[in-house]
Short mmCIF file of all heavy atoms in Angstrom, two decimals:
data_model
loop_
_atom_site.label_atom_id
_atom_site.label_comp_id
_atom_site.label_asym_id
_atom_site.label_seq_id
_atom_site.Cartn_x
_atom_site.Cartn_y
_atom_site.Cartn_z
N PHE V 151 -43.42 5.25 -4.27
CA PHE V 151 -42.11 5.85 -4.81
C PHE V 151 -41.01 5.46 -3.84
O PHE V 151 -40.00 5.13 -4.21
CB PHE V 151 -42.25 7.39 -4.89
CG PHE V 151 -40.92 8.03 -5.33
CD1 PHE V 151 -40.52 7.96 -6.50
CD2 PHE V 151 -40.16 8.61 -4.28
CE1 PHE V 151 -39.30 8.55 -6.84
CE2 PHE V 151 -39.00 9.31 -4.67
CZ PHE V 151 -38.60 9.24 -6.01
N ALA V 154 -40.04 1.77 -4.23
CA ALA V 154 -39.35 1.48 -5.44
C ALA V 154 -38.01 2.11 -5.44
O ALA V 154 -37.00 1.45 -5.83
CB ALA V 154 -40.12 2.30 -6.67
N ALA V 159 -32.18 0.76 -4.73
CA ALA V 159 -30.92 0.92 -4.00
C ALA V 159 -30.35 -0.35 -3.65
O ALA V 159 -29.11 -0.69 -3.79
CB ALA V 159 -31.16 1.71 -2.81
N GLN V 263 0.14 -44.16 0.74
CA GLN V 263 -0.94 -45.09 1.10
C GLN V 263 -2.22 -44.47 0.65
O GLN V 263 -3.10 -45.12 0.33
CB GLN V 263 -0.79 -45.42 2.60
CG GLN V 263 -2.00 -46.29 3.10
CD GLN V 263 -1.86 -46.40 4.69
OE1 GLN V 263 -0.94 -45.89 5.29
NE2 GLN V 263 -2.83 -47.12 5.21
#
Side-chain angles (χ1 to χ4, degrees):
F151 176 75
Q263 179 182 356

